[in-house]
Amino acid sequence: MSRGARFPLRRIPIRWRITLWYTILMTVLVVAVLFLLFRLSSNQMISEARLRLQDTVERSFYEIEYEDGVLTFDDDINHLGSGISLSVYDSQGNLVYGRIPANFNGAPLLIMDEIQQVETDAGVWYVYDTCRTIPGYGNLWVRGVVSQAEADAGLHAVVRLALILLPFFVLLVALGGYSITRRTLGPLQDVTDTAQRISQGSDLTQRIRMGPGEDEVHRLAHTFDRMMDKLQSAFESEKQFTSDVSHELRTPVSVILSQCEFALSEDAEEAERRSALQVVAAQARKMSTLIAQLLTLARTDSGRQSLHMETLNLSELAEIICEEQADAAAARNIALHAEIAPNVLLRADETMMMRLFMNLVQNAISYGREGGNIWVTLRDAEGAVEGCVRDDGIGIAAEHLPKIWNRFYQVDPSRTASRSGAGLGLPMVRWIVEAHGGTISVDSAPGKGSAFAFTFPK
């Protein structure tokens, strides 16, 4: 037997399964409640019928009088109880007045104050007999007879009404349950349709975009949309990353190939070959630096870049970096000012801190103006270490500030073409600061320079 044949319910949509289960459950519950009510109502009606029979027989004596040797019966005696037949007997059991139902032929004996249940071919009957003394006449018996069918007439009407209304009620329950489950589970179909459109067309911009709501289905739809936002962002970042890496590697590879071809040519002189090899070496070092940065960023993304924490004299480290970069700044006629407080201690990774200061200072040199200034400040604040690298160079427009932390992002490639760097320094700086529990911010304006301020908790 196939798996589908063993589990046919799995082929039925969830909304139909829920509706079917809900309808069956409600139907069983309603039938059980109605059955219980009918039983209670039946007992109650029978009890009321017996009491009404007894009360009617008792009240009938008020309609009987004996005057001048004659028994007289008021006409109201025939209307005391609806459906109840009354008959009057003397002390010898002879019928004096009244009527006996045509189909009733049981209970020949008169039994005092006892309700009898008599079964005949015509059905079940309730019989009540009682005797009273009529002044001047003597004892007189009154019998009341009522059919059980007459007593159950009201219950039968209720049963017939219930049998008529029950199918409509079940249909209403089914339609209501289906409507509720359809509205509730409708977004699941939207999720499926959206996922199918994405898988078939590779369009990551597709969203469910369900309205506001706090139930489970709304949360699922909103979570799906947020997941797709992250996937789209990651996919676009990966595409951009691949494109940027290809672009950054294409130039040095082209230079290396061209220089190698020139150096291998028979017309090249020894000095020209050496010059070509120096160009190849410079481009190879540039590629090596780029690959190292990419490897570090890849490790940070996967959480595999470990930090070797130790207590550092950050002041000495910053001064060393400033001294190393002083010649590069002087080459562009930029004055490098170190305003570093002594003995600023911080528990951190020494290599990462060196990269932090190196990247920020090199960035300030690259985008500073000739004849300008760079200020490197570091101080020990209360409970924190605060530092800043500021220049008075070309600056950054406000619309570009949120994007400078993106990998390979360059504000204006045309103006930075002559400058080294591939747009990986600032993303690396941001990761280093955040990995040490700190924060970094930038304040910049075109033509006024930029200031990168960072803070580390102690």
Side-chain angles (χ1 to χ4, degrees), residues 313-316 319 339-345 378-380:
N313 189 324
L314 212 57
S315 300
E316 294 180 356
E319 289 174 352
E339 301 174 358
I340 301 172
N343 297 322
V344 175
L345 303 180
L378 184 68
R379 67 188 185 93
D380 196 349

Side-chain angles (χ1 to χ4, degrees), residues 364-436:
I365 295 173
S366 296
Y367 298 100
R369 61 181 177 85
E370 293 191 8
N373 297 274
I374 295 175
W375 294 270
V376 178
T377 61
L378 184 68
R379 67 188 185 93
D380 196 349
E382 183 177 355
V385 172
E386 296 179 351
C388 181
V389 177
R390 180 169 61 90
D391 64 74
D392 54 2
I394 59 179
I396 306 171
E399 62 269 19
H400 296 291
L401 289 178
K403 302 176 183 179
I404 62 174
W405 309 108
N406 298 338
R407 298 171 188 179
F408 295 105
Y409 183 80
Q410 294 179 347
V411 176
D412 187 355
S414 63
R415 74 175 185 175
T416 59
S418 62
R419 296 179 172 88
S420 60
L424 295 177
L426 291 180
M428 177 65 70
V429 166
R430 185 176 188 179
W431 179 84
I432 293 172
V433 172
E434 293 178 350
H436 287 80

Side-chain angles (χ1 to χ4, degrees), residues 116-431:
Q116 305 176 67
Q117 182 173 323
V118 181
E119 296 184 5
T120 66
D121 295 338
V124 179
W125 305 79
Y126 296 117
V127 180
Y128 179 71
D129 304 321
T130 189
C131 179
R132 296 287 186 274
T133 300
I134 304 299
Y137 179 81
N139 293 335
L140 199 66
W141 289 82
V142 175
R143 164 173 283 186
V145 180
V146 65
S147 171
Q148 189 184 54
E150 185 73 25
D152 294 344
L155 180 62
H156 293 160
V158 173
V159 171
R160 287 193 296 271
L161 181 63
L163 292 177
I164 294 174
L165 294 179
L166 182 60
F168 291 99
F169 177 78
V170 172
L171 180 61
L172 181 64
V173 168
L175 292 176
Y178 178 77
S179 177
I180 293 174
T181 54
R182 184 174 180 273
R183 288 197 302 268
T184 302
L185 299 179
L188 295 180
Q189 186 62 45
D190 295 337
V191 173
T192 303
D193 295 340
T194 302
Q196 288 179 345
R197 289 195 298 270
I198 293 173
S199 63
Q200 294 172 359
S202 300
D203 183 6
L204 296 180
T205 63
Q206 295 286 337
R207 298 292 185 273
I208 301 175
R209 305 193 189 284
M210 181 178 290
E214 296 297 331
D215 57 68
E216 293 81 357
V217 178
H218 277 79
R219 291 202 296 270
L220 172 63
H222 297 160
T223 301
F224 181 86
D225 283 346
R226 289 194 295 270
M227 179 189 69
M228 291 309 303
D229 289 339
K230 290 186 177 181
L231 286 177
Q232 181 183 3
S233 177
F235 183 72
E236 291 177 352
S237 297
E238 182 180 355
K239 288 172 56 179
Q240 185 65 36
F241 177 79
T242 304
S243 175
D244 292 336
V245 170
S246 301
H247 175 76
E248 292 296 330
L249 293 177
R250 182 174 57 187
T251 300
V253 168
S254 299
V255 172
I256 289 174
L257 289 175
S258 63
Q259 293 296 320
C260 287
E261 291 174 357
F262 173 76
L264 292 173
S265 65
E266 296 180 356
D267 297 334
E269 297 181 0
E270 185 64 25
E272 293 175 331
R273 286 192 176 93
R274 291 183 61 84
S275 176
L277 289 176
Q278 290 176 351
V279 173
V280 169
Q283 294 298 322
R285 283 192 293 270
K286 181 178 179 181
M287 291 177 61
S288 176
T289 301
L290 175 61
I291 292 172
Q293 290 177 324
L294 290 174
L295 180 60
T296 301
L297 290 174
R299 287 175 176 173
T300 62
D301 289 341
S302 61
R304 293 185 292 110
Q305 180 64 46
S306 59
L307 298 177
H308 303 284
M309 308 297 284
E310 57 182 317
T311 302
L312 302 177
N313 189 324
L314 212 57
S315 300
E316 294 180 356
L317 194 65
E319 289 174 352
I320 292 173
I321 299 299
C322 290
E323 291 176 1
E324 290 180 353
Q325 297 300 312
D327 292 340
R332 297 197 62 213
N333 196 24
I334 297 176
L336 181 58
H337 309 279
E339 301 174 358
I340 301 172
N343 297 322
V344 175
L345 303 180
L346 180 69
R347 185 168 179 78
D349 185 298
E350 182 177 12
T351 302
M352 293 301 170
M353 287 295 110
M354 291 180 65
R355 286 189 179 183
L356 168 69
F357 284 103
M358 184 75 71
N359 288 345
L360 289 178
V361 173
Q362 287 180 346
N363 188 72
I365 295 173
S366 296
Y367 298 100
R369 61 181 177 85
E370 293 191 8
N373 297 274
I374 295 175
W375 294 270
V376 178
T377 61
L378 184 68
R379 67 188 185 93
D380 196 349
E382 183 177 355
V385 172
E386 296 179 351
C388 181
V389 177
R390 180 169 61 90
D391 64 74
D392 54 2
I394 59 179
I396 306 171
E399 62 269 19
H400 296 291
L401 289 178
K403 302 176 183 179
I404 62 174
W405 309 108
N406 298 338
R407 298 171 188 179
F408 295 105
Y409 183 80
Q410 294 179 347
V411 176
D412 187 355
S414 63
R415 74 175 185 175
T416 59
S418 62
R419 296 179 172 88
S420 60
L424 295 177
L426 291 180
M428 177 65 70
V429 166
R430 185 176 188 179
W431 179 84

Side-chain angles (χ1 to χ4, degrees), residues 24 45 91 106 258 328:
I24 293 175
M45 287 184 177
S91 58
S258 63

